[in-house]
Amino acid sequence: MNKRINPFYELYVTETIGPDRFVKLFSPFLVDHTLALFQPGNVVLKGVQGSGKSMLLSLLKPETRIAYAKAGAEFPVPLEFRKFIGAGINLTMCGILDFGQRPMEAEKTGEQEHLPIYFGDFFNYWVVADILSSIEKFTKELDGRVANELGLVTAKDKLDEFAASLASDDCWFGYLEGIKDLVSLKDRIAERITSYRSFLNFNRDELPVNIRQSKSRVGIPISHTVQMLREHAIIPKDVAIYIRIDQFEVLGRLDSSKNLGLLYKQIINKAIGQRDPQVFYRIGTRKFAWRDEQRIYGTDSFLEEERDYKV
């Protein structure tokens, strides 16, 4: 007797499936039940392993939307909810868990290490890089068809003006000083991410001083990036920005080390708790991992369901 094979087994690791295959495999059944993902507001998407969280979050990726357009297939999000740009971070795949493997002993305030602040800083730079990457993909693929649908204006001179304005913003504490064009901006952001990775993997003795002296506040550079994209008329005001944070539950694996997992969750809570009108967060997590820590980092405040986020 032949064994029955689950045809959706590969979807349990959706992040490994290419966009073209995603178009062929994805069933839109869940979309009508999760429309909050495609509307303003912060959303926590909870489910057991293999329930479809990463699949749904993949609909926010530019690669997925472009793949549907290339295939001539209908994008499975209702037309009235398609005015968005998605960017974000997969906490398993980006290497952010390396923040649990090396202490920063020279940077302390009393007994509290600065590691959570560095975690939030890495998060900021990664997400900003991905926002810029999403815009670039929409602009270059299919001769900019999706970019035109969204109303994006991505002439080089406008992008360079935006980059210079963003680099001079005080949310970076001088780290992007001197940047005059988009290429230089992306290179400087990538350089910072690489410096973190190199240090955390013991390939350099210390972080560069210009990183140690320019730690950013979680969520703020992301918000200011989107605000300036709007001010420079690159993104229309009616296009929402959705920030994916997938595999949230992996932070719990760091709890055995000075409660880092809980502290990192508090950092992400801080970004969510700002209730920023510029960006909206989408948290993909297993059920057990969400409610164990609702405190906002550095405060006595807690996230509130239906006020700060929807489930």
Side-chain angles (χ1 to χ4, degrees):
M1 181 177 179
N2 292 333
K3 293 182 178 179
R4 301 180 98 184
I5 299 175
N6 181 349
F8 302 106
Y9 174 77
E10 291 180 80
L11 294 184
Y12 294 164
V13 284
T14 310
E15 60 270 16
T16 67
I17 295 175
D20 296 337
R21 292 194 65 206
F22 184 95
V23 172
K24 296 177 181 178
L25 292 170
F26 181 74
S27 167
F29 173 79
L30 287 175
V31 173
D32 286 342
H33 302 277
T34 54
L35 288 178
L37 284 174
F38 311 102
Q39 299 178 65
N42 300 317
V43 177
V44 177
L45 183 65
K46 299 196 298 184
V48 299
Q49 181 181 13
S51 60
K53 301 183 300 297
S54 291
M55 288 171 57
L56 286 165
L57 291 175
S58 288
L59 291 174
L60 301 176
K61 295 180 179 180
E63 298 91 340
T64 302
R65 189 158 183 172
I66 291 166
Y68 273 95
K70 285 182 176 179
E74 183 75 9
F75 189 54
V77 176
L79 184 61
E80 62 268 33
F81 301 131
R82 294 181 190 175
K83 296 278 283 186
F84 68 81
I85 295 172
I89 187 168
N90 183 307
L91 296 177
T92 297
M93 302 181 71
C94 72
I96 204 167
L97 295 185
D98 291 345
F99 277 88
Q101 69 186 21
R102 185 173 186 179
M104 297 180 179
E105 296 177 353
E107 300 260 350
K108 295 185 179 181
T109 303
E111 296 301 320
Q112 179 63 61
E113 292 190 6
H114 289 186
L115 206 50
I117 305 298
Y118 285 113
F119 172 92
D121 185 64
F122 180 96
F123 174 86
N124 285 335
Y125 277 84
W126 183 282
V127 171
V128 168
D130 208 50
I131 291 171
L132 300 178
S133 175
S134 293
I135 293 171
E136 184 176 40
K137 288 170 184 173
F138 282 141
T139 301
K140 290 186 175 181
E141 295 286 343
L142 296 173
D143 295 322
R145 186 199 311 173
V146 179
N148 292 334
E149 290 174 1
L150 293 170
L152 305 186
V153 179
T154 56
K156 184 180 184 303
D157 58 338
K158 290 182 71 69
L159 289 170
D160 287 344
E161 289 174 6
F162 149 77
S165 295
L166 180 63
S168 65
D169 192 285
D170 60 9
C171 71
W172 308 103
F173 294 99
Y175 183 77
L176 300 181
E177 190 175 20
I179 295 294
K180 300 299 182 184
D181 56 67
L182 183 64
V183 171
S184 299
L185 175 67
K186 293 193 298 183
D187 287 347
R188 187 76 62 85
I189 291 172
E191 180 182 272
R192 189 173 181 108
I193 291 170
T194 299
S195 292
Y196 270 123
R197 286 175 154 175
S198 180
F199 171 77
L200 292 169
N201 285 283
F202 297 89
N203 293 321
R204 61 189 310 160
D205 293 333
E206 60 181 12
L207 280 173
V209 65
N210 61 348
I211 291 181
R212 299 200 307 271
Q213 295 178 352
S214 62
K215 299 181 288 293
S216 57
R217 181 184 174 196
V218 68
I220 300 303
I222 299 169
S223 176
H224 287 201
T225 297
V226 175
Q227 181 179 344
M228 288 199 177
L229 284 166
R230 299 193 197 283
E231 289 178 358
H232 286 266
I234 294 167
I235 295 178
K237 293 181 179 180
D238 63 345
V239 172
I241 304 296
Y242 299 143
I243 305 300
R244 308 177 319 274
I245 305 177
D246 201 4
Q247 308 291 320
F248 181 81
E249 67 275 0
V250 302
L251 296 179
R253 299 172 190 170
L254 298 171
D255 283 345
S256 62
S257 177
K258 301 181 182 179
N259 290 321
L260 284 178
L262 292 179
L263 292 173
Y264 293 166
K265 288 179 181 180
Q266 291 176 15
I267 288 287
I268 291 178
N269 291 347
K270 189 169 188 176
I272 297 170
Q274 290 162 3
R275 298 200 301 278
D276 193 328
Q278 300 291 344
V279 295
F280 304 107
Y281 292 92
R282 275 83 181 96
I283 314 295
T285 180
R286 296 188 195 174
K287 290 184 176 181
F288 66 85
W290 177 245
R291 286 198 175 274
D292 63 344
E293 183 52 82
Q294 297 283 284
R295 186 184 298 274
I296 295 172
Y297 185 81
T299 76
D300 290 326
S301 300
F302 294 81
L303 291 181
E304 298 179 32
E305 187 173 346
E306 297 300 331
R307 185 180 181 215
D308 297 311
Y309 65 92
K310 288 181 176 293
V311 174

